[in-house]
Amino acid sequence: MTEPIPLRSRLVTTVLRPSEPPIGWGIALAVGLIAVEIVIVLLLKQIAPENAFGAVFLFGVLVVSAGWGFRLSIVTSIASAAAYAYIHVIESSESLVPAVVVFLVLALLTNVLVGQSRLRAMESDQRRREADLLAALARTMLRTSNPSEMLDDAGARLSAVLDLPAPYAKLGPADATVGDGQQRIVLRDGDCIVGSLLVPAELSLVDARRVQRIVPAVEALLAATRDRGILLEQTLALARQQASLRRVATLVALRAEPDDVHLVVAAELADGLNIEHVSVVRYDEKFFTVLAARDDSTVADRLARGKRFPLGGHNVCTVVESTGAAAVIDFTTATGSIAERLRGRGLKWGIGVPVNVDGRTWGAVVVGGTGREFESDVEDRLADFADLIATAVYNSETRRELTQSRARVVAAADQARRTIERDLHDGAQQRIVSLGMELRSAQAEVPDELDELRKGLDRSVETLAQVNADLRELSRGIHPAILSRGGLAPALKTLARRSPIPVALTAEIATRLPDSVEVAAYYVVAEALTNAAKYADASEVSIFAFSRDGHLDLTVADDGKGGADVDRGSGLIGLQDRVAAVGGTLTISSPVGGGTTLTVRIDPTTG
């Protein structure tokens, strides 16, 4: 919204306007002022007849000199001198010539002085208006995001302040069309053309001087506007780049699968660089495989995910793999099967950066374009995304190795427990049973008179039987034999029967699961039943086990007092580690007063 102009400024602008008011107004004003002056002098003569009152006739000269040009001021001075002479003739003709000559000299001197003062004041006001104009233009140009609207507003302001005639002043781009009655002033910033100023073709010397005086400032403003636009675009581009990197980094931090990261990186680069081709490849011996690709081509044979190519020739993928460094290739000179394919696609150049994982060149990020030039920071931007891919791949490989290592440790421990259980059953337990039978045989041979000996042997046999029962229970804790023989469903039924708390069991397990999965599920249920009996004050436990396509869903819930805390119990932590080792997850919900629920989901293919 335009600010209102103060009254004082409007008056000053009206008086000191660059162009003169209409000449007719000046003539009418001069005639009227001279007539009034004659009347005033005649009246004053009646009061002081001895005075000439010549100074009164200088008033009209002052007024006309302040508002109009030098010619009308001269005419007004001569007319005022004639009126002054007329007053003298009425009184007396003595000293008429000297009085008129003196009056004319004073009138002319007044014209010169007032005219110069007016020019100086007009020049000062014009420069002030130009300074205000430039300040307003600076605000407009640096704040307005619409270039066309900004140039139109700036042209209107220039026309008003410079007081240019039609077709007025118009700011425009360097190639603005010159209309009828216009001339172009090229606006430059050094050797660079930043715009053009269209002004009337016919300009007075004064108007031309004003226009030329303001041109350097307009050039500086247009240059600043252009620089601001460039900086704004660079800032927005950097913000978009950082947002793109942040989205990929968030995926990596959330442990997304590398395949998902590859697809997102290809999409982000294609959109962010506005480029025709992006691909993520992985090296494998003498080949490389496309893991993700974005290609705007509509041809059927475009590069797509999953395609495999041999290394060789002079192309981006081969150079990056052999050097372990970034490479820029002109596809018109590239060789190899992939180069032929991309060149046929119409791509002119390609840039690739390595994806380095744990000290080796794992793969590469490659972009290709149809133009001859590319942005200078493309390589750095590719390197940023390549680092994120490397982090995702390294984390995934590390997690996989850790999971596999943990699974091997758990499997070895289970195998050792199974071996100990079998050794106890086939060794110590069998010997105890055999020893008991031998003691029974010896007891039968003891004579009746040795009753104490017979009773002692009987106590020994009972002790051996108790030892055998304890040993059987111990071996069952080491590894449940029924789990090896019958599988998970029968083992869960056995646990339910032995529980001191009533158990509602629902088991839908049609086929055998891997040993590691069955052992993990068995110990989860066994630990949950033990905790419910010892700590939960539960009256009932519900067990649900469901298996389909090798997946196992297991839930154990009690109606106890809740409040179970993983951090305070090594047993629950051990269960979580065991389940994680076979590719599953164990979650615990135990609100105080709301019971405890253990939920297990196992997918053996991820273990």
Side-chain angles (χ1 to χ4, degrees):
M1 181 176 179
T2 306
E3 297 180 358
I5 301 175
L7 178 61
R8 177 181 177 276
S9 297
R10 290 203 299 266
L11 291 175
V12 171
T13 301
T14 301
V15 174
L16 300 179
R17 57 187 299 175
S19 59
E20 298 176 0
I23 191 67
W25 295 5
I27 295 173
L29 180 62
V31 172
L33 288 174
I34 292 174
V36 170
E37 291 167 353
I38 291 173
V39 172
I40 292 174
V41 170
L42 290 176
L43 292 176
L44 292 175
K45 281 289 188 178
Q46 294 178 4
I47 299 172
E50 68 280 1
N51 292 329
F53 296 106
V56 175
F57 291 99
L58 292 176
F59 178 75
V61 176
L62 287 172
V63 173
V64 174
S65 298
W68 280 264
F70 188 71
R71 286 178 296 179
L72 184 58
S73 300
I74 293 296
V75 173
T76 303
S77 299
I78 295 173
S80 297
Y84 180 63
Y86 169 73
I87 296 298
H88 265 280
V89 169
I90 292 177
E91 289 184 350
S92 171
S93 60
E94 296 179 4
S95 70
L96 173 63
V97 174
V100 171
V101 171
V102 170
F103 180 85
L104 279 176
V105 171
L106 289 175
L108 293 176
L109 183 60
T110 300
N111 285 334
V112 173
L113 293 178
V114 172
Q116 289 298 318
S117 298
R118 180 178 182 275
L119 290 175
R120 297 294 179 266
M122 185 176 64
E123 183 75 13
S124 175
D125 182 67
Q126 181 65 22
R127 290 185 180 276
R128 177 189 61 78
R129 295 176 64 201
E130 291 173 3
D132 293 342
L133 166 68
L134 294 175
L137 288 182
R139 288 193 296 269
T140 301
M141 291 180 176
L142 297 177
R143 290 178 180 176
T144 305
S145 58
N146 187 331
S148 177
E149 179 182 337
M150 177 268 291
L151 292 175
D152 290 342
D153 183 67
R157 290 173 180 267
L158 283 172
S159 299
V161 172
L162 298 179
D163 198 23
L164 295 179
Y168 310 112
K170 182 175 179 58
L171 271 176
D175 57 351
T177 302
V178 180
D180 294 337
Q182 290 181 322
Q183 61 174 317
R184 184 205 307 273
I185 299 176
V186 178
L187 304 177
R188 300 176 180 274
D189 178 24
D191 295 332
C192 177
I193 298 177
V194 294
S196 60
L197 175 62
L198 303 180
V199 297
E202 299 295 333
L203 287 176
S204 67
L205 184 61
V206 174
D207 290 340
R209 187 165 57 246
R210 286 200 300 269
V211 170
Q212 290 300 325
R213 187 169 60 226
I214 207 169
V215 162
V218 175
E219 288 179 330
L221 285 176
L222 286 178
T225 303
R226 185 194 62 174
D227 293 342
R228 170 187 172 275
I230 294 174
L231 289 175
L232 178 60
E233 182 59 33
Q234 291 175 345
T235 302
L236 293 176
L238 180 60
R240 290 191 294 267
Q241 178 185 350
Q242 294 301 317
S244 179
L245 286 170
R246 183 168 59 252
R247 286 191 289 268
V248 178
T250 300
L251 276 181
V252 175
L254 293 176
R255 298 185 179 182
E257 290 298 323
D259 287 345
D260 296 334
V261 176
H262 302 154
L263 293 173
V264 173
V265 165
E268 293 287 352
L269 282 173
D271 296 337
L273 296 175
N274 192 25
I275 207 165
E276 291 84 359
H277 172 81
V278 180
S279 61
V280 179
V281 303
R282 179 179 182 178
Y283 297 120
D284 181 18
E285 296 181 352
K286 298 299 181 181
F287 295 86
F288 66 89
T289 303
V290 178
L291 302 180
R294 274 285 298 269
D295 198 314
D296 63 2
S297 173
T298 58
V299 299
D301 197 29
R302 63 180 181 178
L303 199 62
R305 181 182 182 185
K307 291 191 176 182
R308 198 163 184 255
F309 300 91
L311 289 169
H314 181 67
N315 53 72
V316 174
C317 293
T318 302
V319 173
V320 171
E321 191 276 337
S322 61
T323 64
V328 180
I329 298 295
D330 184 349
F331 280 145
T332 59
T333 62
T335 59
S337 59
I338 187 62
E340 295 294 335
R341 179 187 293 265
L342 294 179
R343 189 162 52 241
R345 156 75 177 79
L347 300 178
K348 301 298 184 182
W349 57 266
I351 301 178
V353 298
V355 177
N356 297 312
V357 178
D358 201 18
R360 72 183 192 280
T361 304
W362 178 89
V365 178
V366 181
V367 299
T370 57
R372 287 290 181 179
E373 296 181 356
F374 52 88
E375 297 180 14
S376 59
D377 65 339
V378 168
E379 187 175 315
D380 293 335
R381 296 175 68 174
L382 293 183
D384 291 337
F385 283 100
D387 290 341
L388 290 174
I389 292 177
T391 301
V393 171
Y394 179 79
N395 290 345
S396 178
E397 291 182 350
T398 302
R399 288 196 301 270
R400 187 183 303 110
E401 292 174 358
L402 178 61
T403 301
Q404 292 174 350
S405 175
R406 184 164 53 184
R408 288 193 296 268
V409 171
V410 171
D414 289 341
Q415 181 60 38
R417 293 159 71 99
R418 190 179 294 109
T419 301
I420 293 172
E421 186 274 332
R422 186 170 54 248
D423 290 344
L424 287 175
H425 180 272
D426 296 341
Q429 286 181 268
Q430 294 298 329
R431 292 180 183 178
I432 289 173
V433 172
S434 177
L435 179 57
M437 294 176 62
E438 291 176 0
L439 288 177
R440 287 297 183 187
S441 298
Q443 183 184 21
E445 298 296 331
V446 174
D448 294 339
E449 63 271 15
L450 298 177
D451 185 60
E452 289 298 326
L453 178 59
R454 185 182 293 107
K455 291 180 180 179
L457 291 174
D458 186 61
R459 288 193 298 271
S460 297
V461 171
E462 291 178 357
T463 301
L464 284 175
Q466 184 62 43
V467 170
N468 188 44
D470 293 342
L471 196 57
R472 187 181 300 110
E473 189 66 26
L474 176 63
S475 65
R476 185 181 297 116
I478 294 174
H479 185 81
I482 190 172
L483 190 62
S484 300
R485 295 193 299 269
L488 182 59
L492 295 182
K493 291 179 182 178
T494 300
L495 286 175
R497 285 196 303 268
R498 292 175 182 169
S499 172
I501 301 175
V503 175
L505 173 64
T506 301
E508 299 179 9
I509 304 175
T511 59
R512 291 296 300 270
L513 298 170
D515 290 345
S516 58
V517 175
E518 291 185 339
V519 171
Y522 178 88
Y523 280 113
V524 168
V525 176
E527 182 74 15
L529 292 176
T530 299
N531 290 342
K534 287 184 177 181
Y535 312 115
D537 296 335
S539 60
E540 185 181 16
V541 179
S542 299
I543 302 175
F544 175 78
F546 177 76
S547 175
R548 181 176 59 186
D549 298 332
H551 297 74
L552 175 65
D553 289 319
L554 175 66
T555 302
V556 183
D558 65 53
D559 59 356
K561 61 184 181 181
D565 189 353
V566 176
D567 296 332
R568 295 184 305 186
S570 60
L572 294 177
I573 295 176
L575 291 180
Q576 284 184 328
D577 292 341
R578 177 180 281 277
V579 171
V582 295
T585 58
L586 170 63
T587 57
I588 302 171
S589 176
S590 186
V592 176
T596 300
T597 301
L598 276 66
T599 304
V600 176
R601 288 182 174 84
I602 299 177
D603 179 5
T605 60
T606 62

